[in-house]
Amino acid sequence: MTDAVISTLQTPDGSFTVLEDDQGRVLASGWTDSFDRVVARIPARHRPVTITEGTVTSADAVDAFYAGEIEHAMQVPVRQVGTELFEAGWQALRQIPGGTTLTYTELAAAMGRPDAVRAAASVCARNAPALFVPCHRVLRSDGSLGGFAWGLDVKRSLLEHEAVGSGALV
């Protein structure tokens, strides 16, 4: 991969920067206006050679998410490179319905590795296309929020927004 486009959008949770490859797949995203911080979420050997500021195709999905169409973001193509275990984890994250959550233990089971709870936590920690691969939907087994690269206030807000959009209660 050689070319990518990056853009910062404004959301109710603050600035949201998206990096897409030349095929419109989200490579990384997060609640920041720092291009460097978003690009740094991708391992150096997988980063695009050329990144240009411009319009990202996923902007409509971000707007739709905040307008209450929370599953629209799950239709946006993403690209992450990792081990078979990590790829299974990222796929499992995309299967968590909006308005619901899993624990790290439940995510490990969904990955087909019920004994790999720490690996499930690592899958979330290394998830680059935040929102589009909803690692914010994973909680600690005691129901607490756990961690989130973009801050617990954003994680809480996303879960509350999804609960309203889905009819569930948080």
Side-chain angles (χ1 to χ4, degrees), residues 25-134:
R25 300 175 296 187
V26 175
L27 305 174
S29 54
W31 287 266
T32 180
D33 59 3
S34 168
F35 289 2
D36 290 342
R37 189 167 173 213
V38 169
V39 172
R41 300 287 296 165
I42 303 169
R45 68 185 177 277
H46 297 295
R47 290 182 190 153
V49 174
T50 305
I51 300 173
T52 307
E53 188 171 0
T55 302
V56 292
T57 59
S58 58
D60 288 344
V62 175
D63 290 342
F65 176 87
Y66 282 103
E69 298 173 38
I70 57 179
E71 289 305 315
H72 191 57
M74 297 310 100
Q75 307 309 312
V76 171
V78 299
R79 181 176 185 272
Q80 294 195 87
V81 178
T83 65
E84 188 175 312
L85 180 66
F86 274 81
E87 289 180 6
W90 293 322
Q91 288 175 359
L93 286 171
R94 289 196 100 182
Q95 301 305 313
I96 304 170
T100 63
T101 58
L102 293 182
T103 64
Y104 292 109
T105 302
E106 292 167 333
L107 176 59
M111 293 165 45
R113 296 279 306 275
D115 59 327
V117 177
R118 286 188 180 171
S122 292
V123 162
C124 292
R126 294 185 191 167
N127 178 46
L131 183 66
F132 306 101
V133 178

